[in-house]
C-alpha cells in the first residue's frame, strides 16, 4: 500500500505548497509537489419555476497562465469552507456572496477531488433551488477578496446546449449541470 513518508512545506501564502515523499505500492520512492488550500464547496442555484440557473463569470488565473484565449469562465458559485464551518453553511454563504441568492433545500451531489494529481482540494457539490424572491442581494463577490464576479442568470436549456457543444469548460459546473439534468430532466 502506498504511504506518505514526509510532507515538507515549500511555500505558504494564499495556498500552501508541500514537497511530498511517497513510497508507491511497488516500493519505489518518489517526490511530488502538492498544493493545499483547504476544502471547498460548489452549488448550482436553479429556479425550477423559471427554469434558469445563477452562475458567475470571472477571470481565473489557471486558464490565464495556461494561455486561454478567454480566461473568464462561466461557473457555478464556489468557495472555500472556512475553519469550523459546515459545508451547508459555506454553500449558503457563497451563494449569497457570489450571486446574491438565498437557497432553499440543498441536494448533495457528492464530493470529489478537483485535481488529485497535484492538489488536496476536495469539493462538496450541491444543487440548490431558489425563487425570484430569493434574489436578495446583487452578488458579485467580496470586494476585499478582489472577486470581480459578473452574475449571470441563464436558461437551463441554454446551459444544456453549451454543455452538449463543449463550450462550458469548468469541471464542477459540468458535473453539477449533469446531475441536475439527470435528477430533474423536466427542467430542460
Amino acid at each position: 500500500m502506498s504511504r506518505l513518508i514526509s510532507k515538507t512545506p515549500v511555500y505558504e501564502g494564499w495556498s500552501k505548497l508541500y514537497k511530498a515523499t511517497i513510497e508507491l505500492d511497488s516500493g519505489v520512492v518518489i517526490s511530488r509537489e502538492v498544493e493545499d488550500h483547504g476544502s471547498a464547496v460548489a452549488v448550482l442555484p436553479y429556479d425550477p419555476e423559471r427554469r434558469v440557473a445563477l452562475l458567475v463569470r470571472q477571470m481565473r488565473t489557471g486558464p490565464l497562465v495556461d494561455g486561454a484565449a478567454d480566461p473568464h469562465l462561466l461557473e457555478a458559485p464556489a468557495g472555500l469552507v472556512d475553519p469550523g464551518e459546515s459545508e451547508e453553511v459555506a454553500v449558503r454563504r457563497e451563494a449569497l456572496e457570489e450571486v446574491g441568492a438565498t437557497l432553499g433545500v440543498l441536494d448533495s451531489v457528492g464530493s470529489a477531488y478537483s485535481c488529485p494529481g497535484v492538489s488536496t482540494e476536495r469539493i462538496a457539490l450541491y444543487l440548490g433551488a431558489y425563487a425570484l424572491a430569493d434574489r436578495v442581494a446583487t452578488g458579485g463577490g467580496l470586494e476585499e477578496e478582489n472577486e470581480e464576479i459578473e452574475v449571470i442568470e441563464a436558461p437551463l436549456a441554454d446551459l444544456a446546449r453549451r454543455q452538449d457543444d463543449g463550450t462550458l469548460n469548468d469541471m464542477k459546473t459540468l458535473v453539477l449541470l449533469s446531475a441536475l439534468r439527470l435528477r430533474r430532466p423536466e427542467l430542460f
Side-chain angles (χ1 to χ4, degrees):
M1 170 119 191
S2 295
R3 69 181 182 94
L4 178 65
I5 296 171
S6 66
K7 180 175 83 172
T8 306
V10 175
Y11 171 81
E12 189 167 335
W14 181 79
S15 65
K16 297 173 187 159
L17 184 65
Y18 295 100
K19 182 170 187 162
T21 303
I22 301 159
E23 181 180 356
L24 300 176
D25 293 346
S26 65
V28 172
V29 175
I30 62 170
S31 291
R32 294 289 187 267
E33 291 78 28
V34 179
E35 180 273 342
D36 179 13
H37 63 262
S39 297
V41 293
V43 62
L44 182 63
Y46 69 97
D47 181 335
E49 295 299 317
R50 295 182 306 126
R51 297 180 182 197
V52 296
L54 283 170
L55 299 164
V56 299
R57 182 168 150 64
Q58 61 184 322
M59 190 283 298
R60 291 307 208 169
T61 306
L64 180 68
V65 171
D66 190 43
D70 183 0
H72 294 82
L73 299 187
L74 184 64
E75 51 186 295
L80 298 177
V81 177
D82 291 338
E85 185 178 48
S86 71
E87 288 177 0
E88 182 174 322
V89 168
V91 165
R92 293 181 186 286
R93 175 181 48 76
E94 288 296 334
L96 187 58
E97 287 174 6
E98 293 194 0
V99 295
T102 57
L103 301 176
V105 175
L106 295 177
D107 184 8
S108 175
V109 172
S111 66
Y113 288 100
S114 61
C115 193
V118 297
S119 180
T120 63
E121 181 184 69
R122 188 173 181 100
I123 303 177
L125 302 164
Y126 290 86
L127 301 172
Y130 76 97
L132 187 57
D134 297 324
R135 302 262 331 252
V136 297
T138 58
L142 298 176
E143 186 176 323
E144 63 268 21
E145 292 183 8
N146 300 306
E147 295 184 305
E148 298 177 357
I149 292 173
E150 177 186 1
V151 179
I152 307 283
E153 189 172 68
L156 291 171
D158 290 351
L159 293 174
R161 277 191 289 282
R162 289 190 65 176
Q163 182 178 32
D164 292 346
D165 70 18
T167 58
L168 280 179
N169 53 7
D170 174 63
M171 186 69 71
K172 65 188 173 301
T173 306
L174 290 168
V175 170
L176 287 166
L177 189 58
S178 293
L180 186 60
R181 289 175 82 175
L182 287 169
R183 293 177 184 188
R184 300 287 311 269
E186 74 279 6
L187 299 178
F188 294 87

